Amino acid sequence: MEPTLKEMIGKTESKTTSTDHGNQISAEKRVEKRIKDTPPHGKSVVDKVDSINQSADSKKKVLKVSKRPEMTKKDEIIKEAIEKHYCSEELKPYQAELIKLQHHLEMTGKKMVILFDGRDASGKGGTIRRIIRYMNTKRYRVVALGKPSEQQKTELHIKRYIEHFPHAGEIVLFDRSWYNRALVEPVMGFCTKAQYKRFMKKVISYEQNFLEDAGKTILIKLYFSVTKEEQERRFNRRKNDPLRQWKLSEVDLQAQELWDEFTQKKFMLLKNTHTKQSPWWVIRSDNKHLARRETMKLILNSVRYKGRSRKLDFTLDPTIVIPGNKELKEMKKQRKKYGRLLT
């Protein structure tokens, strides 16, 4: 409750030793000005600015013009922070379930391999970071291999990935996998046509060999799919943001120009390497938060584990998570209708 004029005058008088009548009048005027300038309880900074803006004083009109951009930027920052906090909180129950899943794998001695493939700037790295955020660091590994060495180039392509496979009770997340040979390498000219064809012919048999590990190995293949417009927006953000510039590579700079070539390789990937035993899941990732949440659900649905929450919704969003065979059918429809592949 605001202090009354009388109460505030009393406080002012108690602090002064002068009994001069003129001083008292002066004190009253100061208190009146203080009350006039004091905003009512709960009035925000924005309200203060608005009240100033309503003045006819020319100087205050200048303040209105100069302050508006600053307040708009501030509002944007606050809105972004609130949205980020909401998204973070929505993921936490699923992150807690991932800890239960991790404990189950440890108790049963099972192994999990998760492949994160897809176009550049499609959100693979950000999704991986959210998945492992609260996990036991001793029971998972993130593997992001660089260029093969000269010796590795002479060996079986998948060998250097198999060397990083999980031990019993462990999860390994591949930030780009052996399927680089089916996507990036042929488009960018990093492998020969013969190497590409041989890989596409043999890869499923390779996967069957380690999946027939007495049911101990679980393989999840994820293809992150982003639209051309969203990819361009993310590339531009990387160019202009000093905190993200390190993400921009030579391959990224050519991704837009080679969009159709990547799309064709995606089509061949799904056509030749999506099987019932080793399926692909396409993640629509224009909305990063939904892509992260639905990926967590997909991983949690891949294994039955003890202590699974009965209150949490594990139903997959069919607009975000699409089985590989369904995506393949959609791409065939696109080609028939438009004469070319789009996504």
Side-chain angles (χ1 to χ4, degrees):
M1 182 180 293
E2 293 180 6
T4 64
L5 177 62
K6 184 175 181 181
E7 288 172 341
M8 295 187 75
I9 292 174
K11 290 181 181 179
T12 304
E13 290 177 341
S14 66
K15 293 181 180 179
T16 179
T17 57
S18 174
T19 57
D20 184 78
H21 182 66
N23 289 345
Q24 184 175 349
I25 293 174
S26 178
E28 290 179 2
K29 288 181 177 180
R30 287 198 301 272
V31 173
E32 288 176 350
K33 185 177 184 302
R34 181 180 172 189
I35 292 174
K36 183 179 179 180
D37 293 341
T38 301
H41 179 68
K43 194 169 186 180
S44 67
V45 177
V46 176
D47 293 332
K48 290 181 186 179
V49 174
D50 289 341
S51 65
I52 293 173
N53 292 341
Q54 291 171 2
S55 171
D57 186 270
S58 60
K59 291 183 180 179
K60 291 178 181 179
K61 286 183 179 180
V62 172
L63 177 65
K64 176 182 178 181
V65 175
S66 63
K67 285 289 185 181
R68 179 172 289 174
E70 181 183 346
M71 293 304 297
T72 301
K73 183 64 176 177
K74 182 178 178 181
D75 290 343
E76 289 176 358
I77 293 172
I78 293 173
K79 180 182 177 183
E80 186 177 343
I82 292 173
E83 289 178 352
K84 188 175 182 180
H85 177 73
Y86 170 79
C87 292
S88 176
E89 290 300 308
E90 188 180 21
L91 292 181
K92 283 184 179 179
Y94 297 103
Q95 289 168 325
E97 292 296 308
L98 287 168
I99 296 173
K100 297 177 186 177
L101 170 64
Q102 192 179 27
H103 180 69
H104 169 80
L105 295 176
E106 184 179 356
M107 293 296 100
T108 58
K110 290 189 176 182
K111 315 165 194 176
M112 181 174 283
V113 179
I114 311 176
L115 312 185
F116 292 79
D117 285 286
R119 296 185 187 271
D120 297 305
S122 58
K124 300 181 293 295
T127 303
I128 291 172
R129 286 193 293 274
R130 270 65 178 189
I131 289 171
I132 65 175
R133 176 67 178 84
Y134 297 102
M135 280 186 173
N136 181 350
T137 56
K138 297 178 181 179
R139 308 305 301 177
Y140 77 81
R141 283 181 289 122
V142 177
V143 178
L145 300 183
K147 295 180 181 179
S149 65
E150 291 302 318
Q151 181 178 340
Q152 288 173 333
K153 289 180 181 178
T154 66
E155 299 172 340
L156 185 67
H157 170 70
I158 200 173
K159 178 177 178 292
R160 69 189 190 115
Y161 294 95
I162 293 175
E163 290 171 350
H164 294 276
F165 268 29
H167 306 294
E170 191 178 31
I171 301 174
V172 170
L173 306 94
F174 283 97
D175 188 350
R176 292 198 178 280
S177 70
W178 50 87
Y179 280 103
N180 256 2
R181 177 58 54 92
L183 296 165
V184 178
E185 291 187 17
V187 173
M188 301 304 298
F190 296 155
C191 71
T192 65
K193 290 182 179 179
Q195 288 174 324
Y196 168 73
K197 290 180 179 179
R198 185 164 58 249
F199 173 81
M200 295 296 282
K201 185 178 180 179
K202 298 287 186 180
V203 64
I204 294 301
S205 62
Y206 296 152
E207 291 176 358
Q208 287 175 345
N209 287 334
F210 59 74
L211 286 174
E212 293 172 358
D213 180 23
K216 290 290 185 179
T217 302
I218 301 158
L219 176 65
I220 302 174
K221 302 194 298 190
L222 307 174
Y223 183 98
F224 281 71
S225 178
V226 65
T227 60
K228 190 175 184 179
E229 295 73 22
E230 178 62 17
Q231 186 190 58
E232 182 181 18
R233 189 191 70 80
R234 292 178 187 180
F235 282 157
N236 290 332
R237 186 179 184 185
R238 289 180 180 184
K239 290 177 185 177
N240 302 317
D241 188 343
L243 299 178
R244 291 178 169 84
Q245 286 175 353
W246 64 271
K247 294 182 176 182
L248 202 61
S249 67
E250 290 297 324
V251 175
D252 293 339
L253 296 174
Q254 300 178 59
Q256 286 276 295
E257 296 177 5
L258 297 171
W259 180 269
D260 291 340
E261 286 83 347
F262 274 103
T263 303
Q264 181 62 33
K265 289 297 181 284
K266 172 190 173 183
F267 179 82
M268 298 304 295
L269 173 82
L270 298 177
K271 181 180 178 181
N272 293 285
T273 66
H274 174 88
T275 67
K276 187 175 181 180
Q277 186 182 17
S278 179
W280 277 102
W281 295 93
V282 177
I283 310 295
R284 297 271 187 265
S285 57
D286 274 17
N287 185 315
K288 291 182 178 180
H289 171 64
L290 294 182
R292 292 162 183 169
R293 187 190 69 191
E294 297 305 306
T295 299
M296 290 182 188
K297 289 182 183 180
L298 178 61
I299 295 170
L300 293 167
N301 287 341
S302 66
V303 180
R304 295 183 63 182
Y305 58 92
K306 188 176 180 180
R308 181 184 177 97
S309 173
R310 295 185 179 182
K311 297 181 180 179
L312 202 58
D313 181 14
F314 292 93
T315 306
L316 295 174
D317 185 339
T319 65
I320 303 297
V321 181
I322 297 94
N325 57 337
K326 186 177 179 180
E327 179 78 350
L328 187 63
K329 289 180 182 179
E330 186 61 33
M331 294 182 78
K332 287 179 179 178
K333 288 180 182 178
Q334 290 175 3
R335 188 169 61 180
K336 185 176 181 180
K337 184 175 182 179
Y338 302 105
R340 65 189 184 93
L341 299 171
L342 301 178
T343 57

